[in-house]
Amino acid sequence: MKKSFLKDFPNHFTLPKRIDRLGELAYNLWWAWNPNGMRLFLQLDRQLWETVKHNPIAFLHKIEPQRLKDAGNNTYYLEEYDRVMAEFDTYMSGTGAWFEKNHPELINSQMAYFSFEFGLHESMPFYAGGLGILSGDHLKEASDLGMPLIGVGFIYEQGYFVQNITEDGWQETSYYHFDFGEMPIISVVDEEGNPITISVELPGREVKTRIWMIQVGRIPLFLLDSSIPDNQPSDRTLTSRLYSSDLEVRISQEMLLGIGGVRALRQLGYQPSLWHMNEGHSAFLTLERVREIVKSGNSFDEAASIVRTSNVFTTHTPVPAGNDHFPLWLIDKYFPGYWDELGLTRDQFIEIGKQTQPWGDTFSMPVLALHLSNHTNAVSELHGEVARNMWNFLWPEKKPDEVPIDSITNGIHVGFWVARRMRLLFERYLGIDWYNHLDDPDLWTRVENISDLEMWDVRRHLKRKLINYAVEGARDHWQSGKRHASQVIADGVMLDQYSLTIGFARRFASYKRANLIFSDYERLLRLVTNRDMPVQIILAGKAHPADEPGKLLIQQVYRAAKDYRFCGRIVFLENYDLNIARLLVQGVDVWLNTPRRPNEASGTSGMKAALNGTLNFSVLDGWWREGYNGSNGWAIGNDVDYEDPDEQDAKDAASLYDTLEHEIIPLYYQNRAMGDASPEWIAKIKENMRTLAWQFSTRRMLKDYIHKMYIPALIESNKTK
């Protein structure tokens, strides 16, 4: 780190001297993707670990001192403690890290990665969905590779929201009220112990933000927080929640993130050579960087040329509503005088981000990012095609396939998402050092050597773990006295471990079509309740509080879960989070994904499922269009886009039902005895792992970014210095 920010760290706990480094470990999320590190806490008090939602800071504050004392005298525990801490120290030293080995000339570069949300762990719900989880995985993998990366985002005092489903199936929301002192979050302070702050000018006042830090392995993530006494009451809530539908709150947040994020890094002593914007929310950072250079004596054109070379922009959504844009009157209100500092007129300033909509001109954040970035990418091959067509108007002289938007398909952080039992299986059959070579396709040919029985034993264990979670949750709800009996059925109390189990979990946006499988209700009833070949479907997900159609989808699904005719085989798990996500992708047999093509830019949940031996059953959109080979899962529909969405829905539904009834269900139950899987099913699992695990990892993804985006940007940037 650039300065001594950790003045009060880690002396928050009274720990026996022999194991006093548990406090240091608790404040570094390395433990979150290293099971042995996590088990140092879990073994002390498993029940408390579950109660505090796997939060090591709250855990160490609440654990009985006698348990810690006993651990400090337990030979077995101390041996494991010493082994884990040695592994942690070796990791943090950076010895043998891939980036330093392969790009030693760049190890002193600084790379800044900005995102509106970071999904790092269930104990810190500062994320809404896939974008945030991808950001969290990006940082974890950057840490594993030893990249000189710095993360910048927001800390949300109230998180996203807590979901409660009423008896009628309606989503109700409430909010967290976090005590950051009870989380693995560090206050960034100066040498006198005072919080370091920066300020951003908003209409009629300055808004200050303090800075917090989360240590993600080797990577520092700095998070801005406006909830400080210096600010007006309304400004203190700017960083309270994600994704406000109030445009004035939204533009204020994005100014704080983009402009404030640059100022925060400068205040902390960082001088990044590369700036990566994960979606357009942080695009105002481009203007702040231009302003800095203009202030030093350059013209706007000169400054913009310099800034473009070192900017990387990743666009994530082909859905127009998902791309932030502001009415021009709002830009006039929030940026008066800013264009003067850039050496521009008001109209010249507007042109940098102007996008003409059917209702008039707007200031578009993706347009701003595209205008001021030389290195841009979509997040799958198909999304690249869609994005080049979508933004072709910015390059009217070019054909769509010549538009300078590349594609880098998303991946997942293997260490975080692979089940512990599956990891142990990989160690036995792929080699003890498999994790260091996980993006090598040749490594994954060894899955063919895994015993079918051992593979199925792990798969059954993961399903039991998921079902036990659902059943225990249902019992807790029943015991609370606040749940109707039909809701307890919908919670999953009647799930069993021998039925084919399908999972569907994601944000309940309309284009994701959570209700597609319910299109032919009577046919689904017959399939699900077949006594010889029963099917269970477990669903989970949240709709944005302002998304009424999304909430109606949840209600439709929930009412099906309560329908007695389904015999408790349709389940909806409430308050979807990272913990539930891990249980689902690891525990179900089939992962269902039904977006209306081509609206799924990439998708990553199916990648997590594949890693754990769960088979994908998905529309050929996003990543699955690249991953599906005919033998490693199943496709819904075909590789065709329809102009009529109703026609597309009808054809996809027919394909879904036919494939489920005639291929998936019979294959799962083929030649089964005593709950064993058919050899054909296991063969499909192995093909799924062999072809998908390495290809859709963040290890492969980050190396693609390094070679296709980061190194070219750093080379260009160095030429302008």
Side-chain angles (χ1 to χ4, degrees), residues 119-134:
L120 296 163
H121 188 259
E122 58 266 23
S123 64
M124 296 177 289
F126 307 140
Y127 59 91
L131 179 75
I133 293 170
L134 177 76

Side-chain angles (χ1 to χ4, degrees), residues 103-379:
H103 299 286
E105 74 285 2
L106 301 176
I107 198 64
N108 293 320
S109 302
Q110 293 174 358
M111 307 172 183
Y113 179 85
F114 281 63
S115 185
F116 202 69
E117 50 174 304
F118 285 90
L120 296 163
H121 188 259
E122 58 266 23
S123 64
M124 296 177 289
F126 307 140
Y127 59 91
L131 179 75
I133 293 170
L134 177 76
S135 301
D137 281 8
H138 195 110
L139 297 194
K140 291 166 189 163
E141 192 63 60
S143 173
D144 284 348
L145 292 176
M147 294 172 61
L149 195 77
I150 312 143
V152 180
F154 281 142
I155 194 166
Y156 296 100
E157 188 179 23
Q158 297 178 21
Y160 190 37
F161 66 86
V162 181
Q163 181 191 56
N164 176 64
I165 305 298
T166 68
E167 186 180 346
D168 190 42
W170 195 248
Q171 173 183 282
E172 292 182 338
T173 60
S174 58
Y175 288 88
Y176 302 95
H177 293 280
F178 295 122
D179 176 358
F180 297 150
E182 289 289 305
M183 305 173 85
I185 299 168
I186 301 157
S187 176
V188 179
V189 298
D190 60 21
E191 283 74 8
E192 286 73 45
N194 300 312
I196 294 177
T197 63
I198 56 95
S199 63
V200 174
E201 300 75 22
L202 295 182
R205 79 276 190 199
E206 285 192 352
V207 174
K208 291 185 177 181
T209 66
R210 67 175 298 180
I211 306 169
W212 300 85
M213 189 189 80
I214 297 174
Q215 192 68 36
V216 186
R218 302 174 178 126
I219 305 297
L221 168 60
F222 296 107
L223 302 170
L224 305 180
D225 174 19
S226 69
S227 182
I228 59 177
D230 292 353
N231 291 329
Q232 299 175 12
S234 59
D235 290 333
R236 294 176 197 168
T237 64
L238 286 175
T239 59
S240 292
R241 301 178 186 175
L242 289 89
Y243 299 121
S244 170
S245 55
D246 183 317
L247 285 179
E248 295 219 35
V249 171
R250 193 65 165 262
I251 195 171
S252 299
Q253 289 179 323
E254 298 192 4
M255 290 177 72
L256 288 179
L257 178 60
I259 298 171
V262 174
R263 294 177 183 178
L265 291 184
R266 302 301 191 210
Q267 180 79 351
L268 299 177
Y270 290 98
Q271 300 295 330
S273 304
L274 178 144
W275 303 73
H276 186 169
M277 293 166 279
N278 190 42
E279 197 49 277
H281 309 111
S282 60
F284 287 136
L285 74 81
T286 63
L287 299 179
E288 178 66 7
R289 294 188 59 221
V290 169
R291 188 191 65 80
E292 291 177 330
I293 298 172
V294 169
K295 189 176 179 180
S296 67
N298 295 78
S299 69
F300 173 83
D301 288 341
E302 291 169 337
S305 179
I306 293 170
V307 165
R308 283 190 192 98
T309 62
S310 55
N311 279 346
V312 174
F313 171 56
T314 300
T315 176
H316 283 270
T317 176
V319 181
N323 291 281
D324 283 356
H325 47 81
F326 299 107
L328 299 188
W329 66 264
L330 208 55
I331 300 298
D332 289 335
K333 179 177 179 179
Y334 277 77
F335 283 91
Y338 199 92
W339 46 75
D340 292 333
E341 294 188 62
L342 299 177
L344 299 176
T345 66
R346 181 264 186 190
D347 289 344
Q348 288 172 325
F349 181 85
I350 295 296
E351 280 296 321
I352 308 171
K354 188 171 79 171
Q355 182 177 6
T356 300
Q357 307 283 1
W359 57 89
D361 291 342
T362 62
F363 192 92
S364 164
M365 298 299 282
V367 170
L368 172 63
L370 288 164
H371 272 151
L372 290 175
S373 302
N374 280 357
H375 312 277
T376 64
N377 70 282
V379 290

Side-chain angles (χ1 to χ4, degrees), residues 656-683:
L656 188 159
Y657 285 119
D658 287 345
T659 305
L660 186 59
E661 181 171 7
H662 301 301
E663 296 184 40
I664 297 175
I665 297 174
L667 184 65
Y668 183 80
Y669 287 103
Q670 180 180 345
N671 301 323
R672 290 194 65 193
M674 303 298 291
D676 292 334
S678 68
E680 292 82 3
W681 189 273
I682 299 293

Side-chain angles (χ1 to χ4, degrees), residues 78-90:
L78 292 177
E79 287 177 355
E80 188 168 359
Y81 170 85
D82 290 341
R83 185 167 55 251
V84 169
M85 295 312 301
E87 184 182 348
F88 175 64
D89 289 341
T90 299

Side-chain angles (χ1 to χ4, degrees), residues 131 459 571 615:
L131 179 75
R459 293 294 310 141
V571 170
L615 299 176

